[in-house]
Amino acid sequence: MPIPLTVPRLGWSTEEATFVGWLKKPGELVRAGEPLFTLESEKASQEIEASDSGVLRVPPNSPQPGDIVKVGALLGYLDGEKETKPTETQTAAPTRQEPVSAATSAPSAPAPVVEGAIAAAPARAGRPAASPRARRRAAELGVDWTRLKGSGRTGRIVESDVLEASRTTAAAPLTPMRRLIAQRTAESFAAAPHFYLRAELDATALLQLRQRLVGEIERSAGVRLTLTDLILRAQARALRQCPFANCVWRDNGIVACPGWDVGLVVSLPEGLLIPIVRSAAEGGVPELARRRAALVEAARAGRLAGEALQGGATSLSNLGKSRVDEFSAVIPSGQSSVLAVGRVAPRPFVVDEQFVLRPTLKLCLSVDHRVMDGGPAAEFLGRIVDGLEQPETLV
Amino acid sequence: MSGSTPASDKGSPPAGGVASAGPLALYRTMLLIRLSEERLARSHQRGLIHGACHTYVGEEAIAAGVCAHLRADDVVFSTHRGHGHALAKGLEPPRLFAELYGRATGCSRGRGGSMHLFAPEIGLLGTSGIVGPCILQAAGAGCSFQLLETGRVAVAFFGDGAVNNGAFHEGLNLAGLWKLPVVFVCENNQFATEVAFSRSAANPSVASRGAAYGMPGVEVDGNDVLAVEAAAREAVARARSGGGPTLIECKTYRTRAHAEGMGDFTYRTREEVERWKSRCPLATLKQRMLAENPAAAAGLEAVDREVAALVEAAHLFAERSEYPTPDTAAQHVYAVGPAARAGESGNRDSRPRAAHYPPEPGLAPAPAAGAAPARELTFIKATLEALTEEMAKNPRIFVMGEGIGPRGGNFATTTGLYAQYGPQRLRDTPICERGFVGLACGAAMSGARPVVDFMFADFILDAAGEIVNQIAKMQYMSSGRLKMPVLLRGCIGIGHSAATHHSGSYYSMYAQFPGLRVVAPSSPRDAKGLLKTALTCDDPVLFLEHRELLALKGPVPAEEYFIEFGRASVVREGRDVTVVALALMVHRTLQVCDTLAREGLSVELIDPRTVAPLDTDTILKSVAKTGRLLIVDESFGHGGIGAEIAAQLADRGFDDLDAPIRRLNGAHTPTPYSPPLEAAVVPSADAIAQAIRDLCDE
């Protein structure tokens, strides 16, 4: 009996994923436990292992690499090792045409003869013909040549077609990650009614605390404490104090998330990932810093599995290393808020009714109005600010 | 003679050398041959010999009697039945056995076997599987010895099968004409393979044919070693003293089958074989010696014991020797490095070659700043300059051809040289292409550097066997111990209604064969540089000159220079399409490049200059840039050099290609005479331009 291969659920909120491709060839014997195909869900890709053994069979109408697939969708089959050829491939075979051999077109003119194929450029079923050079160039430039129209005499795609396409189409190839980011941010921005709360705080104590702890933590935990760690801690503590902020909107209404988890937006060359820092409210700061560092490293190395990206109602997006003073962020899909943090800079600040120059931080909390109204959201942001202005409480 | 140092290349003095032509020595040589052959016949049965094995049993008196008068530096050329000649000339038996057993210690290092025995060190310039060429090669060696005034003698052993062959006629005529120091020994064993001589010769006397070539013809009993020895003494003395060649017909009989393992009585009878066995040359000599002096028995018995031990030792040596390693199979196809022939004059060997190459490209050289502007010479003048320079440096160079003497060559290829060097070095030949090419082969094998001027390359086809089977294979068969500095030049190409016997381009055909260098220059500058290389390299070179280019003028540097084989010239740089063309087609293509440039098509034109070796690297580099390749070749497309270039590029440059590889070839027809027909079979400038446009539209 053939064993159907379907799209598995990767995390508790996954409904669909991008089918990246097979890791085995059709007809190849697959053993249970071997990586079989790759799915990209949320913002990470994951190799899915075979749960059974058998010979991989991929029906012709199966999802193609790059397709978005629903959880449970059929991808293919594992046949018993002795089973005969499936009918799909048998019916597919006759539609394939071998290219006409150039050698068969014999010259008949008595005059000087140009030897070569005059027949139509060979094209494999469903694919335009492309010169080897064009295909190589397309691979270099990330151009999908199968979608191009060739300008060669017989419609063959030649190098100049690829060069033209690379000039007029995307500056960069559309990767599955890019596609997902586009899809998710558009979805979230359209579905979640955003509003924004802003606050500026005196970061003097925060900076002093970090200064005081950084050397000691580096020695003891082997990790460099960052402001991000302290903000994560403040955000998680505030979440614990404001359970209403630890909720998200689902089709059936507001649901609470388990644990006090905070997502951290990690910027990558090809896009971004939001690994979830679990239980960021608890434990020592060195421990938190170490977990944060491990997650960032894993994200950059592409080693994050789907589970590490699932969950949490709020995230932190810190552009403090840049020249940005403040900004507002789009709420990550499936969450209800995001805290956007700009750089620390000396700014005029009122202390005891006097203008003084203080290092300050500007925060902006984007909030999903379906989950929180202005008052509760203000309380949530206020708790975060309190924590950051009295940082000793965070440790 | 000693057979105990098989590893040494130094031949011991020939068995029964000049000082030992007495009966006992002759007996010993014959016995060595007889016992060796009988031992080899057993080894053939046992499977130790991997190919054919033709024995000399019954004919031993001839090799022994003739070689008794040869010096170590005299040379012999022999046949497929050559074991006896090799042993009589002094080949150590272990090296003979090892060769037949296919071992690395064999005299041809395992590249030859029974029919291709080579030991130049002792003057064995080869046995051959082809009937006839040995006659021409011996004449060639005679020519070489005459030119170099060495006093050496060349001997051709051949069977009655060879005398009804053109090589016999052409070779004996040339030798008689030029009074060459050669002895032609016909071993008339009465069967050419299995065809009786009486059924193949209109004139049953071979000896009588000597008169036709102005040389003495002598018939002797080939089974009487003393009679052979006496005839050979006279013939060798005549040759050595400048008296010219002699034809000796030795009537004999082989008493074993044509080759071991073959049936023997479909074409002759047992009775006839038995009758000849009773005339065994060894038994006859032994009886005579004992009759004259009964005390000779002791000496004869001592020789019997010694030779039996020698043969057994040879067998054991060969059987214990290693086979050659497979990775050496392609060694010795070509000579390695520049010419290094001992005794050749000239300072070539110490010359740092690369430094002499003038800057590229070939057709439109930009003179280096400060350099004297290059002179303008015609193509043919440029080649004459190369030949003149090299002949002045190297007294071993001589030229053969029809009308290349006082006339200076039909195409002025040798103008002025006869006056300088005379008839020894500029030899007008009869019209016998096979003859003088075969002669050139032997001359090259024995120290000279022949230049064969064919006038038209079409004429060479009559000599194709000598080129392909002999000249091209000689370095390989001799495992690199013979060098083959032969230059074969002639005109190619269609034009001026020369019609089909004066228009062929044959470079693709010759390029097919290992061992040959094939050159087809397109400019005066390239022609001179390449001819200079051809005249100094140790490989046989076909130098093919397009007749329509002979009058072409172009810049030729005044200083000496050489152009290496296997280096293509980028005649014109371009961006959009690579065109590879040779000879005249280079110019046809150049004609259209400017027009195409105005249309926005930038052509890169490459002239390989040598078809073998072929510089595909340069073409590959160009196609990596342009992505498109057109090969324009006046010659035939089918199996041609264009097909080879296309195949190599499709393989090595597949991912560089942006369009199919195209060829534009001459029509696959003989060349017609009438001008409109003639024009229709050669790629025209318009056809080239259109082919380039079409390719760019692909």
Side-chain angles (χ1 to χ4, degrees), chain A residues 106-257:
Chain A
S108 55
V113 178
V114 180
E115 310 255 355
I118 307 299
R124 275 192 282 167
R127 264 177 152 194
S131 76
R133 191 185 184 90
R135 277 182 267 163
R136 183 182 61 187
R137 180 67 77 195
E140 286 166 5
L141 297 175
V143 172
D144 179 3
W145 59 267
T146 61
R147 286 157 200 253
L148 299 184
K149 188 167 163 6
S151 66
R153 188 177 56 80
T154 56
R156 182 189 295 108
I157 295 158
V158 293
E159 186 187 24
S160 58
D161 299 323
V162 174
L163 294 173
E164 182 66 20
S166 77
R167 274 193 292 272
T168 55
T169 62
L174 184 56
T175 60
M177 178 181 282
R178 201 65 249 160
R179 191 197 303 267
L180 265 173
I181 292 169
Q183 188 189 330
R184 300 282 161 126
T185 51
E187 250 173 41
S188 169
F189 202 62
H194 282 54
F195 69 94
Y196 309 96
L197 303 180
R198 299 171 209 280
E200 183 175 9
L201 63 93
D202 181 353
T204 308
L206 187 67
L207 294 178
Q208 283 169 351
L209 176 72
R210 177 179 173 274
Q211 200 56 46
R212 184 160 63 73
L213 294 180
V214 67
E216 178 193 323
I217 292 180
E218 190 149 29
R219 274 191 304 279
S220 65
V223 64
R224 198 163 168 80
L225 180 71
T226 63
L227 281 186
T228 297
D229 298 325
L230 296 172
I231 300 169
L232 277 173
R233 166 58 55 97
Q235 202 172 343
R237 288 271 168 91
L239 206 56
R240 198 165 59 184
Q241 289 159 338
C242 308
F244 54 83
N246 200 25
C247 293
V248 295
W249 182 262
R250 288 285 177 265
D251 291 342
N252 51 352
I254 295 174
V255 299
C257 294

Side-chain angles (χ1 to χ4, degrees), chain B residues 401-652:
Chain B
E402 293 141 18
I404 54 84
R407 188 186 169 208
N410 189 54
F411 293 117
T413 48
T414 54
T415 304
L417 293 176
Y418 185 85
Q420 230 175 322
Y421 299 114
Q424 281 288 325
R425 296 184 65 190
L426 287 123
R427 291 179 182 248
D428 269 327
T429 61
I431 299 177
C432 58
E433 275 71 19
R434 181 182 182 189
F436 57 76
V437 172
L439 186 144
C441 177
M445 293 164 77
S446 52
R449 182 179 277 279
V451 174
V452 181
D453 189 332
F454 283 103
M455 218 181 308
F456 288 91
D458 305 80
F459 303 166
I460 312 181
L461 294 183
D462 275 8
E466 304 305 321
I467 296 173
V468 169
N469 247 337
Q470 306 296 327
I471 290 173
K473 295 177 180 174
M474 218 45 101
Q475 300 194 75
Y476 187 77
M477 289 194 294
S478 67
S479 60
R481 284 169 298 159
L482 287 174
K483 303 292 177 212
M484 292 303 292
V486 187
L487 174 63
L488 304 155
R489 68 184 295 192
C491 285
I492 57 169
I494 299 173
H496 290 91
S497 288
T500 201
H501 285 161
H502 297 73
S503 297
S505 295
Y506 300 94
Y507 38 77
S508 295
M509 180 182 92
Y510 293 109
Q512 169 88 48
F513 298 108
L516 298 176
R517 307 287 194 195
V518 185
V519 182
S522 68
S523 72
R525 179 191 166 284
D526 286 356
K528 182 179 177 188
L530 290 164
L531 191 63
K532 291 275 284 185
T533 298
L535 285 165
T536 49
C537 89
D538 273 343
D539 293 320
V541 179
L542 277 131
F543 194 85
L544 303 173
E545 300 149 282
H546 201 292
R547 207 181 54 256
E548 300 294 303
L549 294 179
L550 297 184
L552 175 84
K553 272 197 162 185
V556 177
E559 68 273 17
E560 187 180 38
Y561 66 96
F562 295 76
I563 296 176
E564 200 178 357
F565 294 163
R567 280 185 15 144
S569 153
V570 179
V571 179
R572 181 185 168 113
E573 287 193 54
R575 198 181 54 243
D576 297 326
V577 58
T578 301
V579 177
V580 175
L582 277 168
L584 180 65
M585 291 300 119
V586 171
H587 300 272
R588 287 266 162 97
T589 306
L590 267 181
Q591 272 176 40
V592 303
C593 285
D594 287 337
T595 309
L596 290 167
R598 284 192 292 276
E599 295 173 20
L601 296 179
S602 161
V603 176
E604 178 142 310
L605 177 58
I606 293 181
D607 175 6
R609 303 196 286 203
T610 61
V611 182
L614 180 65
D615 178 6
T616 42
D617 287 351
T618 297
I619 303 172
L620 197 65
K621 215 190 281 175
S622 175
V623 171
K625 178 167 62 169
T626 64
R628 277 150 210 265
L629 174 61
L630 171 71
I631 304 138
V632 180
D633 180 9
E634 173 179 332
S635 189
F636 309 127
H638 191 104
I641 193 63
E644 176 61 23
I645 293 170
Q648 288 201 34
L649 266 289
D651 180 4
R652 299 175 62 201

Side-chain angles (χ1 to χ4, degrees), chain B residues 125-468:
Chain B
L125 291 197
T127 68
S128 172
I130 306 293
V131 170
C134 64
I135 296 173
L136 302 172
Q137 288 162 16
C143 195
S144 197
F145 299 158
Q146 191 180 63
L147 175 73
L148 304 172
E149 296 173 351
T150 59
R152 293 157 73 185
V153 171
V155 175
F157 291 102
F158 51 93
D160 49 284
V163 305
N164 300 317
N165 176 306
F168 177 86
H169 171 61
E170 296 181 26
L172 265 67
N173 184 52
L174 285 167
L177 182 69
W178 292 341
K179 295 264 173 285
L180 300 177
V182 185
V183 181
F184 296 102
V185 181
C186 173
E187 301 173 328
N188 186 350
N189 68 13
Q190 309 186 44
F191 292 93
T193 312
E194 285 94 7
V195 177
F197 187 61
S198 58
R199 289 204 280 143
S200 33
N203 171 3
S205 165
V206 174
S208 73
R209 299 186 192 186
Y213 309 111
M215 71 178 74
V218 184
E219 181 182 315
V220 295
D221 177 356
N223 283 32
D224 180 349
V225 70
L226 298 179
V228 174
E229 183 269 328
R233 181 191 307 144
E234 198 181 319
V236 169
R238 180 182 300 116
R240 213 181 293 288
S241 64
T246 305
L247 171 63
I248 303 176
E249 179 187 11
C250 303
K251 296 273 198 190
T252 186
Y253 198 88
R254 62 170 161 75
T255 52
R256 294 186 72 87
H258 167 69
E260 287 308 296
M262 285 174 70
D264 213 15
F265 301 111
T266 50
Y267 62 97
R268 62 185 189 180
T269 63
R270 281 178 201 280
E271 294 69 34
E272 185 179 285
V273 174
E274 289 307 315
R275 205 159 55 241
W276 278 96
K277 276 187 181 167
S278 72
R279 298 197 49 220
C280 170
L282 283 88
T284 307
L285 176 63
K286 197 173 189 176
Q287 276 164 20
R288 201 185 294 179
M289 288 171 71
L290 291 172
E292 282 174 11
N293 175 17
L300 288 165
E301 279 165 27
V303 165
D304 287 348
R305 281 193 301 275
E306 182 231 330
V307 170
L310 207 58
V311 169
E312 193 53 27
H315 160 73
L316 290 174
F317 169 82
E319 203 176 18
R320 281 198 295 259
S321 287
E322 297 289 333
Y323 282 102
T325 52
D327 60 340
T328 64
Q331 280 177 8
H332 306 306
V333 177
Y334 295 97
V336 179
R341 294 170 72 75
E344 267 208 49
S345 72
N347 60 353
R348 227 161 44 283
D349 296 345
S350 56
R351 182 187 66 215
R353 276 195 157 188
H356 286 255
Y357 298 134
E360 300 293 319
L363 279 166
R375 309 157 299 154
E376 293 265 320
L377 289 184
T378 63
F379 187 112
I380 207 71
K381 270 263 164 61
T383 64
L384 177 60
E385 200 170 79
L387 182 61
T388 306
E389 287 172 14
E390 289 304 317
M391 281 191 81
K393 279 196 275 182
N394 189 345
R396 289 166 185 262
I397 296 178
F398 73 102
V399 187
M400 285 186 290
E402 293 141 18
I404 54 84
R407 188 186 169 208
N410 189 54
F411 293 117
T413 48
T414 54
T415 304
L417 293 176
Y418 185 85
Q420 230 175 322
Y421 299 114
Q424 281 288 325
R425 296 184 65 190
L426 287 123
R427 291 179 182 248
D428 269 327
T429 61
I431 299 177
C432 58
E433 275 71 19
R434 181 182 182 189
F436 57 76
V437 172
L439 186 144
C441 177
M445 293 164 77
S446 52
R449 182 179 277 279
V451 174
V452 181
D453 189 332
F454 283 103
M455 218 181 308
F456 288 91
D458 305 80
F459 303 166
I460 312 181
L461 294 183
D462 275 8
E466 304 305 321
I467 296 173
V468 169

Side-chain angles (χ1 to χ4, degrees), chain A residues 9-32:
Chain A
R9 190 173 294 277
L10 295 179
W12 66 277
S13 69
T14 306
E15 293 306 329
E16 56 184 17
T18 302
F19 179 65
V20 176
W22 293 102
L23 299 169
K24 296 281 182 182
K25 294 190 189 70
E28 200 175 340
L29 177 65
V30 180
R31 300 203 178 281

